[in-house]
């Protein structure tokens, strides 16, 4: 799941556009979904979402990064896993 806003297969790394000025501090890449944690605490997810793994209250896939609304207790997240 590349996060390039298209459902294409590629065998090389592809740039992912996320509309923010904050730096990435962590990436977690699963077999079918990916997560990006930014220095400002924002979390983005993309890929397969049929089991709710994107954390966006939907059970659908996303071909582009979507901001995950974190609960208040998770605002200080410093690590992620996919």
């Amino acid at each position: 799941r590349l996060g390039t806003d298209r459902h294409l297969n590629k065998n090389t790394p592809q740039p992912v556009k996320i509309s923010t000025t904050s730096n990435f501090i962590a990436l977690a890449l699963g077999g079918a979904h990916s997560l990006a944690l930014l220095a400002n605490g924002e979390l983005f997810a993309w890929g397969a979402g049929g089991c709710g793994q994107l954390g966006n209250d939907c059970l659908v896939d996303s071909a582009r990064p979507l901001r995950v609304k974190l609960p208040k207790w998770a605002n200080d997240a410093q690590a992620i896993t996919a």
Side-chain angles (χ1 to χ4, degrees):
R1 308 294 181 179
L2 298 173
T4 59
D5 206 18
R6 295 181 176 179
H7 293 282
L8 299 174
N9 292 323
K10 299 281 184 179
N11 59 3
T12 58
Q14 303 293 306
V16 174
K17 294 181 183 178
I18 294 180
S19 58
T20 184
T21 57
S22 188
N23 293 325
F24 291 97
I25 61 170
L27 292 173
L29 309 173
H33 70 286
S34 301
L35 305 169
L37 180 62
L38 282 64
N40 66 3
E42 290 180 296
L43 178 65
F44 287 82
W46 62 94
C51 295
Q53 61 269 50
L54 300 184
N56 60 1
D57 292 327
C58 295
L59 298 178
V60 297
D61 298 350
S62 177
R64 63 182 176 85
L66 300 174
R67 182 174 290 132
V68 177
K69 186 175 180 180
L70 296 171
K72 290 186 181 198
W73 57 264
N75 284 343
D76 295 327
Q78 297 180 12
I80 52 177
T81 187

